[in-house]
Amino acid sequence: MTLPALVAGTELVGEFEDSGYREPPHLVCRPDGQIVRLPALLYQVVRALDGRSVARVAERLSSETGRRFAAEHVAFLIDKKLAPLGLTTYSDGSPPPPMKRNDPFLAFRFRLAVVPERVTWFLSGLFAWLFRPVLVAGALAAFVAGEAWLWATQDTGAALRTVLSSPAGVLLVVALAVASCVFHEMGHGAACRYGGVRPGQMGCGIYLVWPAFYTDITNSYRLGRGGRIRADLGGVYFNALFVLGLLALYGATGSPLLLVAILSVHLEMFQQLLPTLRFDGYYIVADLVGIPDLFKYIGPILKRVVLRRPQDERLKALKRRPQIVVAAWVLFLVPALVLQLGIVLVNLPQLLRTDWQAISLLVGNAGASGYPVLGLLSACVQIVLLTLPLAGLALVLGRPARSLIRRALRARRG
C-alpha cells in the first residue's frame, strides 16, 4: 500500500512570527520556492505524515490536539486541502496535480531570472556587513547632511537643462539610474543574508509596463518582523548609499550629470516608498502589520466601512490593531488611486498633445547634434520614457474595464 507523503523538496518552516492573525499561520515552503500559509491543524497533519499511514496520522493528531480524528477525517484533509496545494500526495499515494503559483492582484508577472541563487548569495555576502547598526546610523546621518547641502546650495534646474541638451548626458544618466536599480536589488539580498536567510534569484522584467529589476526575498518570511522590514528597506538604504557615492563624485568634479543622476535616484526612492502598488512601501506596511497580501482585504474593508455590512471571516481572522491599519491603508489607497486616475484622465488630452510635441521635437533634433548616433539613441530612450506612463495607464484601466464588462454581460444573460 502506498502511503501519503510530502512532495519531495517541501520544507516545513514553522510558525509565521509576529503575524497579524488571531491564530498565527504556519509556513511551508513548496519545491518551487513558494511559501504556503497553513492553519495549525493542517500543519500538524503535514508534520505527522513522515511515512505513517492515514490511520496512524489520525491517532497522532488525536493525541496532539485532544480531539477525536478518524482516518477518513485525515484523508479528507489530505485530499481536499493539502494535495491541491501541491504539498502532499493524495491519501492513496497518487501524485498531486501540477503546482500552480498564486496570481495576486497587481503582481510582478513578466520577469526573467538572470542571476542564479548561488551567485546572489555570494554577491549579497559582499555587502551584508553594511547593515551593522553603527554603519547604518553613520550612513543615514551622512545622507541627511548631504541632502541638506544639496537642496540648500545647488541649482538642480540648471543642471537638468544642461544634461537634457546633451544626448551623451541623457544616456549616461539613464545608465547610472539602471546601476542604482541594480544596487537597490542588491540591498534586498544583502539584508536577507545579514538576517541569516538565503535570498533567491535576481532578474529583470516588466511590472505593468515599466522595466523593473527584482530580487526574490521570499525567505524573509522566515524572519521576525524586524528582519522582514530590514529586507524591505534594504533597497532604499542602498539607494541612499548610491546617492552618497554620487555626491562624493559631484563634490570632486562638479559635473551636472551627477547632479541629475542624484535626482533620478531620488525619484526611484520616492516611488519605492509609495504604499500603493507592490513597491517596497507596500511590503513595509504589510510586514509592519504581519499580513502578507493587503489587496485581498480591499473588498471586505469597503463592505464593512462603506456599506456597513457585518465583518466577513477574513476580517474576523485579523487582530484588532492590524485590522485598523489595513482599514486605514484601504481608505487611503482607494481615494488616492481614484484621484490620481481622475487627474490623469482630465488632463489626458493635454498630456497627449504635449507628449506628441515633445516626441516630434526629439525626432526632428535627433541628428542635429554632432553625434547623430548618440542623438538618435538618446531620442529613442526619451520617447520610451514619455510613452511608458500612457501605456501603464491603459493597462491599469484595461483590466478593471474588462472585468466590469464581463460582469455586465453575465448580469444581462442572468
Side-chain angles (χ1 to χ4, degrees):
M1 176 181 178
T2 305
L3 302 177
L6 284 177
V7 173
T10 301
E11 179 185 358
L12 306 185
V13 178
E15 184 177 304
F16 181 25
E17 297 183 33
D18 302 312
S19 79
Y21 301 96
R22 296 184 187 277
E23 296 184 7
H26 291 70
L27 306 180
V28 179
C29 183
R30 293 195 325 194
D32 62 353
Q34 182 165 315
I35 296 291
V36 178
R37 298 187 302 276
L38 295 179
L41 178 61
L42 289 181
Y43 190 80
Q44 287 176 300
V45 173
V46 169
R47 191 178 58 186
L49 286 178
D50 194 25
R52 295 182 176 90
S53 65
V54 172
R56 292 194 59 191
V57 171
E59 292 175 4
R60 177 166 176 174
L61 206 58
S62 300
S63 174
E64 290 180 350
T65 63
R67 298 160 57 188
R68 175 69 176 171
F69 285 94
E72 56 266 25
H73 299 147
V74 174
F76 175 84
L77 294 176
I78 292 174
D79 294 339
K80 301 299 182 180
K81 302 293 184 180
L82 295 173
L85 292 174
L87 300 178
T88 69
T89 61
Y90 285 99
S91 58
D92 60 1
S94 59
M99 289 181 288
K100 295 181 180 179
R101 295 191 67 87
N102 288 336
D103 187 20
F105 181 64
L106 293 178
F108 189 3
R109 295 183 179 86
F110 308 107
R111 58 184 184 177
L112 175 67
V114 176
V115 180
E117 182 178 326
R118 64 180 183 278
V119 178
T120 305
W121 174 256
F122 170 76
L123 293 175
S124 61
L126 300 178
F127 300 102
W129 58 275
L130 290 169
F131 285 94
R132 293 173 182 171
V134 174
L135 294 177
V136 172
L140 293 180
F143 177 75
V144 171
E147 289 290 289
W149 172 81
L150 172 67
W151 297 111
T153 63
Q154 303 304 303
D155 188 354
T156 55
L160 187 60
R161 289 189 294 273
T162 300
V163 171
L164 289 178
S165 63
S166 167
V170 170
L171 293 175
L172 286 173
V173 167
V174 171
L176 287 172
V178 171
S180 173
C181 292
V182 173
F183 198 57
H184 173 102
E185 297 305 326
M186 192 61 64
H188 290 306
C192 278
R193 175 151 184 176
Y194 183 82
V197 298
R198 296 187 70 89
Q201 299 171 328
M202 296 177 64
C204 57
I206 302 294
Y207 181 57
L208 298 181
V209 296
W210 292 278
F213 297 90
Y214 74 92
T215 301
D216 185 352
I217 58 170
T218 304
N219 279 332
S220 66
Y221 282 113
R222 301 168 185 265
L223 304 172
R225 180 183 288 115
R228 296 197 299 268
I229 293 175
R230 180 176 55 236
D232 297 333
L233 286 170
V236 175
Y237 171 53
F238 268 43
N239 283 143
L241 297 179
F242 198 85
V243 167
L244 288 177
L246 293 177
L247 281 173
L249 289 175
Y250 176 70
T253 64
S255 170
L257 183 149
L258 296 171
L259 201 57
V260 176
I262 291 171
L263 293 179
S264 73
V265 179
H266 278 81
L267 289 175
E268 180 190 355
M269 296 171 71
F270 175 76
Q271 179 199 54
Q272 287 293 340
L273 290 175
L274 290 175
T276 49
L277 301 180
R278 292 181 186 268
F279 299 124
D280 293 347
Y282 165 85
Y283 291 105
I284 292 169
V285 175
D287 286 328
L288 279 173
V289 298
I291 301 172
D293 191 355
L294 300 178
F295 279 108
K296 74 178 184 179
Y297 294 97
I298 292 178
I301 291 291
L302 292 179
K303 290 177 183 178
R304 172 63 174 162
V305 176
V306 178
L307 302 179
R308 298 297 181 180
R309 293 182 181 175
Q311 288 185 345
D312 69 4
E313 294 302 320
R314 284 175 291 181
L315 292 181
K316 290 179 181 178
L318 303 182
K319 296 177 182 176
R320 175 71 175 171
R321 185 176 299 175
Q323 190 176 135
I324 293 173
V325 174
V326 173
W329 176 79
V330 170
L331 296 178
F332 158 78
L333 173 74
V334 174
L337 290 180
V338 171
L339 179 62
Q340 291 174 15
L341 288 174
I343 292 174
V344 172
L345 290 175
V346 168
N347 294 281
L348 186 58
Q350 179 62 34
L351 181 62
L352 290 172
R353 284 195 297 269
T354 302
D355 280 2
W356 179 253
Q357 292 170 0
I359 291 171
S360 300
L361 186 62
L362 287 169
V363 173
N365 295 336
S369 66
Y371 304 94
V373 176
L374 284 179
L376 181 60
L377 186 58
S378 174
C380 291
V381 170
Q382 293 180 72
I383 289 171
V384 169
L385 294 177
L386 285 170
T387 55
L388 277 178
L390 296 175
L393 176 64
L395 184 60
V396 168
L397 292 177
R399 293 189 64 189
R402 288 197 302 269
S403 178
L404 289 174
I405 292 172
R406 291 194 191 101
R407 289 185 181 182
L409 292 175
R410 284 199 299 267
R412 184 177 180 181
R413 289 194 296 266

